[in-house]
Amino acid sequence: PSCSGQMTDLLFTEKDLVTSLKDYIKAEESKLEQIKKWAERLDVLSVTATQDPEGFLGHPVNAFKLMKRLNTEWGELESLVLTDMSDGFISNLTIQRQHFPNDDDQTGAAKALMRLQDTYQLDTKDISTGELPGETLSLTVDDCYDLGRVAYSEADYYHTELWMAQALQQLDQGEEAAAVDAVTLLDYLSYSIYQQGELERALAHTKRLLSLDPDHQRANGNLKYFEYQLSKQKKAEGEKTQDGGRERRSTSKGRPADYLPERKKYEQLCRGEGIKMTPLRASRLFCRYYDNNRHPMFVIGPVKEEDEWDRPRIVRYHSIVSDKEIEKVKELAKPRLRRATVHDPQTGKLTTAHYRVSKSAWLAAYEHPVVDKINQRIQDITGLDVSTAEELQVANYGVGGQYEPHFDFGRMSDVASGGATVFTDVGAAVWPKKGTAVFWYNLHANGEGDYRTRHAACPVLVGNKWVSNKWIHERGQEFRRRCSLEEAA
């Protein structure tokens, strides 16, 4: 679950379970203490008794005590040994486990990590050793192996190689591993490298694997196959050189092919690179106090308006929602946050989409005065009628949460790192800032869609991003934003 509210609950659930686990350990230890005392007492007794059995049993008290021990006391000991001290802990765990993440959630978290790795060009080693900004744990050999396995199951050999190599490096440096060994890692590594068309390196890893496990069937087969392929390649290359040196066949090295044509541009903008704003254009962007044509709400207290971009015009309003209002909106939305759904044109049904990794909820004005107040404020600032607008949408992007490039026809918290909104068509990037609102028209004044407003939410690297969206429909604005025949926004 990428939603921070649910994740926070899980942290506290885990804390309670640890306490419960410690109680169970105490109970188990005191049970063992009792059994130890029994064993010591009986040990002393039987040693004494067996030294002179006849003399010992000649004493009526000893005879009685032997009968009592064998008839009653060993039975009591049996009950004690059989007493299950784990009941409380296990039932607690069983109740809590229904709220735990499942395999899909774990895979989702692994994919999010790899998305971040690509978008922000992070070094595998830095991620693993916890050298990201802020407090972060390090990854074990087994963790790196698990990430590699997720990539492998997606036939993503680029990330398989990166993570299996990291796991192997940590293993080589002497780190202990619970569920994986060098042979398994080399097996995955050589195959993923071979899949990317690098025969020499695949062969080198296979040879290292065989030095550790000479009878490894698959590796022995691969060794012959790779050597055969390599000799064929070298022969073909020789012929090509005599033939005027035609190009070598391209290999599939690097990241897997993508369904998103503007991936490179999107990721550059997310990193704060490739922003298309010349110094001259930037010098024409201003900050001002704005009263929306002497609107009664703003005559005494105008709002701070800042130009973020010129074409299309994107503006930011500062200090629009207070911390108190933000907390209230989050509190109202939290119980309802669901993985965001999109309309699937093929089936006509709502499905969760791979390109939208966030949770969202809709809040109606009648639900709480704070929602009504925010809607009214949007109307006062934009001068648009929000009675035909959609309800207030609240979205939460946890770590790795993103929404890939899209149009809206047809925001709220500070984020430690990442999480910008980028406009891929015009090369703009707008970073989240708590309490501010960013506004743009995605329709021209003549009602046509403005394709320059194609935008995307960058993945959150560290922290949590809460945004609130308001889509204002063109219906109802006929006298507020008049239609014009020109395309001017």
Side-chain angles (χ1 to χ4, degrees):
S2 73
C3 160
S4 65
Q6 286 158 312
M7 294 285 263
T8 311
D9 294 345
L10 286 176
L11 266 186
F12 286 105
T13 299
E14 189 173 50
K15 189 173 183 249
D16 293 344
L17 282 174
V18 172
T19 309
S20 176
L21 179 63
K22 284 181 171 169
D23 291 344
Y24 159 61
I25 294 168
K26 272 188 206 135
E28 205 69 88
E29 281 172 346
S30 77
K31 170 179 150 180
L32 275 175
E33 277 307 309
Q34 276 178 279
I35 298 171
K36 267 188 205 160
K37 281 178 190 153
W38 263 85
E40 282 157 14
R41 187 168 59 83
L42 291 167
D43 188 30
V44 172
L45 250 173
S46 58
V47 167
T48 317
T50 49
Q51 272 165 0
D52 175 13
E54 305 234 339
F56 180 81
L57 290 171
H59 203 292
V61 172
N62 293 351
F64 163 71
K65 287 198 77 156
L66 174 66
M67 295 303 160
K68 186 188 166 197
R69 274 203 310 280
L70 293 168
N71 183 35
T72 332
E73 296 183 21
W74 277 97
E76 286 166 13
L77 182 67
E78 182 183 32
S79 308
L80 177 60
V81 171
L82 287 173
T83 306
D84 192 348
M85 310 309 284
S86 66
D87 274 1
F89 171 68
I90 293 296
S91 60
N92 192 353
L93 182 60
T94 310
I95 292 163
Q96 298 299 349
R97 275 196 72 158
Q98 58 197 16
H99 308 297
F100 279 14
N102 56 25
D103 286 354
D104 284 351
D105 294 321
Q106 190 180 325
T107 303
K111 285 185 188 169
L113 199 54
M114 289 184 249
R115 250 200 322 276
L116 292 170
Q117 183 179 4
D118 293 339
T119 307
Y120 298 110
Q121 292 181 341
L122 306 170
D123 189 49
T124 316
K125 181 170 166 288
D126 288 348
I127 301 175
S128 185
T129 52
E131 282 172 39
L132 293 183
E135 280 296 304
T136 169
L137 300 168
S138 52
L139 297 173
T140 62
V141 171
D142 297 284
D143 291 335
C144 295
Y145 170 63
D146 285 341
L147 285 164
R149 289 254 310 266
V150 167
Y152 182 80
S153 68
E154 303 270 311
D156 169 358
Y157 302 112
Y158 169 73
H159 287 106
T160 307
E161 178 194 341
L162 286 180
W163 286 105
M164 294 300 177
Q166 182 60 33
L168 189 64
Q169 194 185 352
Q170 287 178 216
L171 199 64
D172 287 345
Q173 284 164 354
E175 193 188 305
E176 297 283 311
V180 66
D181 55 14
V183 168
T184 312
L185 294 173
L186 286 162
D187 196 8
Y188 275 104
L189 252 177
S190 62
Y191 185 72
S192 57
I193 289 169
Y194 156 68
Q195 279 290 348
Q196 293 176 83
E198 294 194 30
L199 280 168
E200 276 113 332
R201 280 179 61 230
L203 188 61
H205 282 87
T206 307
K207 283 178 177 165
R208 185 180 163 194
L209 192 164
L210 286 166
S211 71
L212 298 170
D213 180 0
D215 302 323
H216 197 288
Q217 255 185 308
R218 186 168 42 241
N220 273 303
N222 285 349
L223 182 75
K224 290 191 186 74
Y225 179 70
F226 293 161
E227 282 175 337
Y228 163 71
Q229 286 284 8
L230 208 56
S231 66
K232 219 168 81 168
Q233 198 174 300
K234 288 206 168 112
K235 194 171 158 227
E237 270 170 27
E239 286 166 11
K240 276 179 195 168
T241 357
Q242 293 160 4
D243 205 19
R246 280 206 309 273
E247 281 294 296
R248 255 191 74 181
R249 63 181 180 87
S250 68
T251 61
S252 55
K253 176 76 184 139
R255 280 168 60 184
D258 203 337
Y259 54 85
L260 188 66
E262 64 224 287
R263 164 79 57 201
K264 200 169 149 212
K265 202 171 186 184
Y266 163 53
E267 293 183 350
Q268 269 183 330
L269 289 169
C270 287
R271 291 193 295 272
E273 299 165 9
I275 294 166
K276 290 197 174 82
M277 174 68 76
T278 61
L280 179 65
R281 270 173 76 184
S283 71
R284 293 182 187 139
L285 301 179
F286 295 100
C287 295
R288 64 189 70 78
Y289 282 107
Y290 176 74
D291 63 11
N292 191 8
N293 229 345
R294 294 190 63 75
H295 189 288
M297 287 298 290
F298 306 125
V299 172
I300 296 169
V303 288
K304 295 173 186 158
E305 184 185 66
E306 179 185 355
D307 296 332
E308 283 277 350
W309 206 257
D310 52 1
R311 301 186 297 273
R313 186 163 186 246
I314 303 168
V315 293
R316 186 194 297 266
Y317 297 102
H318 290 264
S319 314
I320 289 303
V321 270
S322 67
D323 287 2
K324 212 170 152 189
E325 287 171 325
I326 288 173
E327 286 317 308
K328 191 75 217 174
V329 168
K330 280 163 73 173
E331 185 191 312
L332 292 168
K334 260 181 193 173
R336 292 196 237 159
L337 287 169
R338 290 278 166 274
R339 174 82 188 270
T341 53
V342 290
H343 189 261
D344 183 345
Q346 259 119 33
T347 61
K349 289 189 177 130
L350 282 177
T351 58
T352 58
H354 55 77
Y355 58 82
R356 183 162 194 189
V357 188
S358 67
K359 308 247 175 169
S360 61
W362 298 90
L363 302 181
Y366 61 79
E367 292 183 57
H368 195 277
V370 90
V371 183
D372 197 30
K373 238 162 121 182
I374 291 172
N375 283 342
Q376 189 58 50
R377 208 170 294 149
I378 291 169
Q379 179 159 309
D380 295 340
I381 291 172
T382 61
L384 298 172
D385 184 353
V386 295
S387 60
T388 61
E390 292 186 29
E391 291 177 344
L392 194 67
Q393 188 197 35
V394 180
N396 172 227
Y397 298 79
V399 171
Q402 62 171 17
Y403 191 176
E404 287 174 3
H406 61 285
F407 298 107
D408 279 336
F409 43 88
R411 304 241 176 220
M412 209 161 73
S413 72
D414 282 321
V415 177
S417 191
T421 297
V422 295
F423 292 75
T424 46
D425 192 63
V426 294
V430 180
W431 268 267
K433 186 172 185 331
K434 192 174 187 182
T436 69
V438 173
F439 175 78
W440 66 88
Y441 286 106
N442 56 20
L443 296 179
H444 289 291
N446 66 358
E448 294 283 322
D450 185 345
Y451 289 90
R452 299 172 305 175
T453 60
R454 183 167 171 86
H455 61 284
C458 296
V460 175
L461 178 57
V462 178
N464 247 291
K465 176 180 170 187
W466 285 86
V467 293
S468 196
N469 303 309
K470 190 81 177 169
W471 282 282
I472 304 166
H473 292 246
E474 62 177 331
R475 187 165 59 82
Q477 319 309 334
E478 293 81 3
F479 298 104
R480 293 169 181 252
R481 185 191 192 216
R482 292 177 181 269
C483 168
S484 81
L485 293 172
E486 301 92 62
E487 271 216 2

